[in-house]
Amino acid sequence: MQTIEPDISVNIGKLKLKNPVLCASGCFGYGQEYAELVDLSMLGGIILKGITLKERHGNPMPRIVETSAGMLNSVGLQNMGLSRFLREKLPLLSNIPTNVIANICGETPEEYATIAKELSNKDSIAALEINISCPNVSHGGMLFGQDMMLTFEVVNLVRKQTSLPLIVKLSPNVTDIASIARAAVDGGADAVSLINTLLGMAMNIKTKKPRLANITGGLSGPAIKPVALRMVWEVCKAINVPVIGQGGIMTWEDSLEFLLVGATAVCIGTANFVNPKASMEIVQGIKDYMKQHKMIELKAIRM
Amino acid sequence: MIQVTAKILEKEEVAPDHYRLALDAPLISKDASPGQFIHVNITSQYMPLLRRPFSIHRITPFGIEILFRIVGTGTKLLSEKRQGDELDIIGPLGHGFSIKNNAFTAILVAGGVGVAPLFALAERLRQFTEVRILIGSKTKTGVICLEKFEALGIDVQVATDDGSLGIKGVATDLLEDFLATSASPQLPIYGCGPMPMLRILSEIAHLYSSPCQISLEANMACGVGACLGCVAKIANPHSPSHFEYKRVCVDGPVFDAREILWR
């Protein structure tokens, strides 16, 4: 008996992904870093390391600490800034055989708008992810994502600058994530992605000092998956645009949980560090599961 | 770089809490150079979650060897692996030692398990130059690979904090003595060990105008330059703040000692 190859393509606004698996911002560099280990053409897309208007050194070391089934990071958005990105990284992106989504972060709503405008007419950039949820910077970042009005303001200002699909990356460090998601949609978001990392901390009991130089950092990895899943479920009920689920996804089974609660796509972050082939294996795992259950469309998973 | 499943061909406890593993990884060894590292997935469980980086101790036609000391959960679990077990490894990774073919004596300075990458380097350097290694350790049981270096015909000097082997002192004391009495100027120095030792090493190298390369250690997540979790503070005169954070995993782990900002 011939098995029909299931169609696992999904739409994020007007952006069509060949499959629902993306690699997360900050966890996959600019794609080239993993090109020798991962067949990038197998992925639905990659989301670039966050870009700010000006170059950022990032935070002092130590920046990462391993915790129970997870890790804390406080990189602090180290990046070369918009103009060097356009000069040094953008030309390389046309070689990446999948959708490239740029992640943008600003200290003010105007900075987001400036970056969005600059990136919106570039062939190799398929969509923008607006990062209003970085927990490791002192200005902007998560502050915008913790306030409905500021979320609306940032998204709305960016919306006026670009016709690219807009994904808004939400912070879990809020009381009611659904209301922030609604504000993002009202501002003009085509999709939301969640969750960014959970603000956390670890102490060294020998030195009696924090284990991160920045004291606090963002928790990621399998430890946060139940929290992420709950929030994705809440947001999926609250809005009518695609939701990209992320937070601790390590396997295709984890991905299915997110798709089951209503996510349109999933994003793979920390798992890349543990197993660079995780994203490819997840694509294959979802396909195999669908074949086994004779599903021809992704939405059949939820039935 | 490739990701492979490598069988453990040999396992040896070289000293208390110190292990050497020989891994069947010819596809990694053929591209490996001294100073590079491999990134090892120690368990498929989520504790510990992240891979562990290990400098390449030896490069052979069959694969590579690593040498490590038990310092935490990851290295403890790794030490419990047996010959025949398989490990998911990625390598070779990182920017290794730049080896210049010149007639000078090369001086290697190791602190503790810092000898690990210096053995692969010594094997390479001795093909065309005289090599001398200065090993420092807390006590004599931590002085590892001594006989292996001697078997290569390399001159070994030892310093221990407690004087239980070699001179009572540290490896950089040996270096200062050697440079102070050496007739040849600007001997190339290669170092690996704890940060305070590397800092003193850099100062001595600067004093004697010796080119000095040092291999840094850092906790890493990705190991391939994507996450920016492992950085070192590097001088950059073109930056308004005169420094930048460079990734230990791809821009290092070996750096020119003059580039490092120690404060």
Side-chain angles (χ1 to χ4, degrees), chain A residues 26 29 33-34 36-37 49 57-61 63-64 66 68-70 75 78 222 250 273-277, chain B residues 1-3 46-52 90 219-222 224-231 239 241 243-245:
Chain A
E33 290 85 346
Y34 276 105
E36 289 177 52
L37 302 171
K49 170 71 185 170
H57 285 311
N59 292 331
M61 285 287 280
R63 289 179 173 184
I64 52 170
E66 196 173 43
S68 302
V75 171
Q78 179 178 345
M250 302 295 284
F273 306 153
V274 181
N275 174 21
K277 293 184 169 51
Chain B
M1 85 182 75
I2 56 166
Q3 183 178 359
Y46 298 151
M47 278 286 281
L49 180 67
L50 298 171
R51 285 173 183 264
R52 294 290 188 269
I90 300 171
N219 288 336
M220 291 181 189
C222 74
V224 298
C227 74
L228 308 176
C230 66
V231 291
S239 164
S241 53
F243 81 92
E244 65 179 314
Y245 286 116

Side-chain angles (χ1 to χ4, degrees), chain A residues 152-228:
Chain A
F152 176 86
E153 190 186 339
V154 170
V155 179
N156 194 239
L157 207 58
V158 171
R159 178 76 285 168
K160 288 174 183 154
Q161 298 297 333
T162 181
S163 57
L164 283 176
L166 286 185
I167 303 162
V168 179
K169 188 164 186 179
L170 305 179
S171 171
N173 304 303
V174 295
T175 314
D176 178 17
I177 196 162
S179 60
I180 305 286
R182 277 189 218 102
V185 175
D186 290 346
D190 296 298
V192 295
S193 55
L194 62 139
I195 57 175
N196 202 322
T197 53
L198 284 153
L199 201 54
M201 189 172 169
M203 291 296 290
N204 181 328
I205 58 167
K206 282 184 193 155
T207 62
K208 303 186 180 182
K209 290 190 171 129
R211 290 172 68 194
L212 286 170
N214 195 43
I215 303 175
T216 63
L219 182 65
S220 66
I224 72 168
K225 197 191 75 181
V227 179

Side-chain angles (χ1 to χ4, degrees), chain B residues 92-125:
Chain B
L93 296 171
H95 167 83
F97 292 102
S98 30
I99 297 167
K100 291 190 184 68
N101 192 345
N102 59 30
F104 294 125
T105 300
I107 309 172
L108 280 46
V109 187
V113 75
V115 296
L118 298 183
F119 190 74
L121 177 68
E123 283 197 305
R124 184 66 58 87
L125 284 172

Side-chain angles (χ1 to χ4, degrees), chain A residues 3-11 15-21 44 256 259 264-265 283-303:
Chain A
T3 19
I4 303 161
E5 193 66 18
D7 176 11
I8 57 170
S9 67
V10 296
N11 293 308
L15 173 65
K16 183 167 176 135
L17 308 178
K18 67 190 124 189
N19 65 60
V21 180
L256 273 192
L259 297 176
T264 299
V283 172
Q284 195 55 48
I286 293 172
K287 271 190 197 166
D288 290 346
Y289 170 85
M290 290 176 67
K291 279 186 198 167
Q292 197 192 335
H293 292 85
K294 300 192 172 43
M295 297 170 178
I296 52 169
E297 281 182 304
L298 256 184
K299 65 180 179 194
I301 285 174
R302 269 180 260 160
M303 291 169 189

Side-chain angles (χ1 to χ4, degrees), chain B residues 67-113:
Chain B
L67 179 72
F68 63 94
R69 180 168 67 97
I70 298 177
V71 290
T73 324
T75 41
K76 178 84 177 91
L77 275 175
L78 189 61
S79 75
E80 289 162 5
K81 301 278 179 189
R82 296 178 195 163
Q83 189 179 333
D85 284 354
E86 289 183 329
L87 290 173
D88 166 5
I89 64 175
I90 300 171
L93 296 171
H95 167 83
F97 292 102
S98 30
I99 297 167
K100 291 190 184 68
N101 192 345
N102 59 30
F104 294 125
T105 300
I107 309 172
L108 280 46
V109 187
V113 75

